[in-house]
Amino acid sequence: MKPAHIRHLLSRACGAALAVAAVALPLQTGAQTAARSPAKLQPTRPNVVVILLDDVGFSDVGAFGSEIPTPNIDALAKGGLSFTQFYNSARCSPSRASLLTGTYPHQAGLGHLEGTDFPGAQGLQSRLLDRVVTMAEVAKSAGYYTAMAGKWHVGMGHGVAPWQRGFDHSTVTPYGELYFPNQPQPMTQNVYLDGEKVPTNSPRVGTGNWYSSDMFVDWQTKFFKQAESEHKPFFLYMPFTAAHFPIMAPPEDVAKFKGKYMRGWDVIRRARFEKQKKLGIIPANAELPPALANTYDWNKLSAADKDRFDTMMAVYAAAISRVDRAIGTLVARLKASGELDNTLILFMCDNGGNGESGPDGRLNGKGTPGSAQSVVWTGMNWATLQNTPFQYFKHFTEEGGIATPLIAYWPQGIAAKQRGTKVTTPGHLIDVMPTLVEVSGATYPKSFNGHEIVPMQGRSMVPAFTGKPLTRATPIFWEHEGNRAVRDGKWKLVARFEQPWQLFDMDADRAEMHDLAAAQPDRVNAMAAQYDAWAARSFVDPWREEYDRNSKGRTRQNWGGFEPLKLPEAVRD
């Protein structure tokens, strides 16, 4: 071992007294232990890497059922833990706000997207507020080097940027949607490097005709190398663009998937469902819900329309495959630097697959599909596949809108006997902050920069790393565009905007097919009261019809009510 590396480890060990004692840190084989010097065995605070994918469904990675090859993400699951009942907040900005702060979206100020700011609203203020702190601010207070590369979308247009919220360094696109340096979309014309506005096609951002998943990893590599030079543990936030519309991928990658979706969404959805059973993601007796109304019957489509839909999904699959490759590059670089074993990697998605654009999806623009000049939205039919085995999509609080894969990987912190296993206890993005606080030895503040801070709303996931049970004192809650839900143990109460509550036993019916509300009115009333109390104390503004109109919401449409843009009545189921 090089003397400089030993000094680096000893320097990081100075804060070990604060590190979590409950986790058995070196879980090495005897041969590995004998080969290491005593200095390497000193407990050190782990690095933390939080990876977030955009508009990617519950079943879109191989470890959760997909046919899309994701070997690098799957390797993290094999060497770590897969949380099969983990949740996001149904939409981009709300999920990012919740993840970054450990609070519910309205508490953070982003009950809706950045840009949705209504006078007098408590939780619809379009930006992260001063009543919350970010993971970067908390980690930095504990001596961590903090950096991010990717999509922000929690208030840069309203004066709240990453360099103002605890990130030492950042390479960010304010709103996302960035794949290539020469896209025509107005929101992709600039990237911010540590707060400096730089044209996206500047060589300072990346060289050649880069692809953003790779470009962001190149920046993250620079950041963790700098952290090493400063002898600091690092916190890296990696919110990728993939696979948000306008979905793009290099043509050679799209070509690998072209034709693979000609079997149609129903056949492939069934294949994912059966794979999920074999993997233990869902129970062997699970049911697969029928497709929603206005879903197209694949067998009634023309050859040209089948080719069109196949092309859209090929671009999407290529984007997923490429982000997997980028994650593999980061993992390989961490391993080469000797950092991987003591790095906690958390992988998740910001909402379910995206049914926006209805059953037709979109395939337009100029150039080859997936290129910088094209525009691809996969639409409702493919989103149903992406969210297998669940119903509904992004925006909604049914499982299809809020269920995300969560993978936790940490060779030195996850017990050997737990690696490759499943955690079925429900969890939420609000649990990431408490986990960071515990493993880093940080102190979550009661006040920060003169402002009283909303307490953490979740609980740490660290006990699961050594096989201990996870407990939760209060239910998990949701509200987005009037869609709302409560998860309390095996019970879930859920309703769409201006619709009555439904009740489901999630142990027996995760796909929400058998409503028990009429049979158990007392439970419905009790859980509804829990929701009302939570909403009252959590800055949840009652969603109103004018909010829906002004934010171009889709809450009043049932996603089976879209009129086709192109295809004839005869192809509907």
Side-chain angles (χ1 to χ4, degrees):
M1 181 179 293
K2 296 179 181 179
H5 194 45
I6 294 174
R7 289 195 299 272
H8 167 57
L9 288 164
L10 289 173
S11 172
R12 287 178 55 172
C14 68
L18 295 174
V20 56
V23 179
L25 282 173
L27 294 168
Q28 308 294 333
T29 65
Q32 289 172 316
T33 301
R36 293 177 180 273
S37 71
K40 186 66 176 178
L41 297 179
Q42 294 295 321
T44 62
R45 294 173 293 163
N47 309 306
V48 179
V49 177
V50 175
I51 298 171
L52 185 69
L53 299 193
D54 198 343
D55 280 9
V56 172
F58 180 78
S59 69
D60 278 330
V61 299
F64 278 70
S66 184
E67 73 293 333
I68 302 170
T70 55
N72 298 295
I73 296 169
D74 298 350
L76 297 179
K78 185 176 181 180
L81 295 174
S82 296
F83 292 70
T84 62
Q85 296 202 61
F86 203 78
Y87 292 109
N88 50 49
S89 295
R91 193 84 177 277
C92 173
S93 297
S95 285
R96 289 157 206 275
S98 200
L99 171 62
L100 282 167
T101 68
T103 66
Y104 285 107
H106 308 79
Q107 294 172 316
L110 280 153
H112 202 270
L113 294 183
E114 176 181 346
T116 304
D117 185 4
F118 295 108
Q122 299 181 87
L124 300 170
Q125 298 195 40
S126 202
R127 68 194 186 281
L128 291 181
L129 300 178
D130 291 331
R131 65 190 180 211
V132 295
V133 289
T134 69
M135 286 193 289
E137 288 167 330
V138 171
K140 188 172 183 176
S141 73
Y144 274 66
Y145 177 101
T146 61
M148 72 164 289
K151 174 179 175 177
W152 183 238
H153 210 196
V154 286
M156 192 178 295
H158 292 74
V160 179
W163 52 91
Q164 298 165 321
R165 296 309 306 252
F167 288 96
D168 294 320
H169 294 285
S170 56
T171 299
V172 296
T173 170
Y175 307 105
E177 303 186 15
L178 177 64
Y179 290 95
F180 292 111
N182 57 340
Q183 288 178 227
Q185 288 81 12
M187 293 190 297
T188 65
Q189 299 306 300
N190 297 288
V191 172
Y192 287 78
L193 306 180
D194 286 344
E196 181 185 355
K197 186 177 181 180
V198 177
T200 302
N201 59 8
S202 167
R204 293 176 59 193
V205 176
T207 57
N209 188 36
W210 46 257
Y211 187 63
S212 66
S213 295
D214 303 320
M215 180 268 287
F216 291 141
V217 165
D218 287 344
W219 278 102
Q220 295 285 25
T221 304
K222 294 177 185 178
F223 295 149
F224 85 71
K225 290 289 188 182
Q226 185 171 344
E228 287 183 322
S229 71
E230 296 180 15
H231 310 304
K232 290 182 177 181
F234 50 84
F235 166 68
L236 301 182
Y237 175 46
M238 299 187 64
F240 286 97
T241 297
H244 194 284
F245 62 80
I247 310 164
M248 297 177 181
E252 63 272 20
D253 292 281
V254 176
K256 295 175 184 177
F257 294 96
K258 189 72 181 76
K260 293 187 180 298
Y261 290 90
M262 291 297 287
R263 291 182 296 161
W265 33 74
D266 292 328
V267 171
I268 303 173
R269 183 175 178 237
R270 172 62 64 174
R272 286 194 182 188
F273 179 65
E274 295 302 328
K275 182 179 177 181
Q276 288 174 325
K277 289 182 179 180
K278 292 179 181 178
L279 291 170
I281 299 299
I282 57 175
N285 62 350
E287 296 179 82
L288 183 64
L292 295 178
N294 208 20
T295 298
Y296 294 141
D297 182 339
W298 181 266
N299 295 322
K300 294 180 181 179
L301 297 177
S302 69
D305 287 325
K306 288 180 179 178
D307 181 74
R308 175 180 178 271
F309 280 117
D310 170 73
T311 297
M312 291 190 289
M313 191 60 192
V315 174
Y316 181 86
I320 301 294
S321 175
R322 282 300 296 257
V323 79
D324 175 80
R325 191 173 91 174
I327 290 169
T329 298
L330 180 75
V331 170
R333 290 173 181 175
L334 289 169
K335 184 176 182 179
S337 292
E339 298 286 359
L340 182 62
D341 281 356
N342 200 29
T343 297
L344 169 61
I345 299 174
L346 297 172
F347 167 92
M348 66 208 79
C349 308
D350 68 345
N351 45 246
N354 184 11
E356 292 168 352
S357 74
D360 293 296
R362 296 182 189 175
L363 179 60
N364 49 39
K366 300 177 181 178
T368 304
S371 69
Q373 308 303 313
S374 71
V375 175
V376 177
W377 303 39
T378 54
M380 180 181 116
N381 296 292
W382 288 127
T384 302
L385 167 68
Q386 292 154 16
N387 294 333
T388 307
F390 305 132
Q391 303 185 78
Y392 292 91
F393 328 98
K394 171 183 176 180
H395 293 259
F396 295 94
T397 52
E398 281 88 357
E399 296 291 281
I402 59 176
T404 172
L406 174 70
I407 296 169
Y409 176 88
W410 181 14
Q412 286 189 358
I414 295 177
K417 65 181 180 180
Q418 299 305 123
R419 298 173 196 167
T421 64
K422 309 291 190 295
V423 178
T424 59
T425 307
H428 189 276
L429 295 178
I430 56 175
D431 299 334
V432 178
M433 174 72 89
T435 304
L436 170 75
V437 168
E438 185 167 354
V439 301
S440 68
T443 299
Y444 186 86
K446 292 183 178 180
S447 63
F448 189 78
N449 289 341
H451 300 278
E452 184 178 351
I453 298 301
V454 174
M456 290 186 291
Q457 301 296 296
R459 52 99 174 100
S460 172
M461 296 180 282
V462 166
F465 297 170
T466 52
K468 296 181 177 64
L470 295 175
T471 59
R472 172 169 249 105
T474 59
I476 302 169
F477 299 96
W478 291 265
E479 192 284 333
H480 182 66
E481 295 181 332
N483 302 312
R484 54 210 186 276
V486 182
R487 179 73 194 264
D488 190 5
K490 73 172 186 175
W491 297 103
K492 182 179 176 185
L493 195 68
V494 62
R496 270 169 266 140
F497 180 45
E498 296 185 339
Q499 297 299 309
W501 289 109
Q502 294 180 295
L503 178 69
F504 299 99
D505 177 349
M506 303 304 277
D507 283 355
D509 183 25
R510 182 96 191 270
E512 300 167 300
M513 296 177 64
H514 306 288
D515 180 13
L516 303 176
Q520 299 200 38
D522 291 346
R523 188 180 301 278
V524 171
N525 292 336
M527 293 181 71
Q530 288 178 308
Y531 174 86
D532 291 340
W534 166 79
R537 67 176 180 265
S538 301
F539 310 107
V540 176
D541 303 287
W543 193 252
R544 302 201 295 264
E545 190 170 343
E546 59 265 34
Y547 290 175
D548 203 50
R549 289 196 303 269
N550 294 340
S551 64
K552 299 180 181 179
R554 296 292 184 267
T555 58
R556 300 201 72 173
Q557 301 186 38
N558 66 5
W559 297 83
F562 282 101
E563 286 305 312
L565 302 177
K566 174 186 176 185
L567 300 179
E569 180 79 21
V571 303
R572 300 191 200 183
D573 248 351

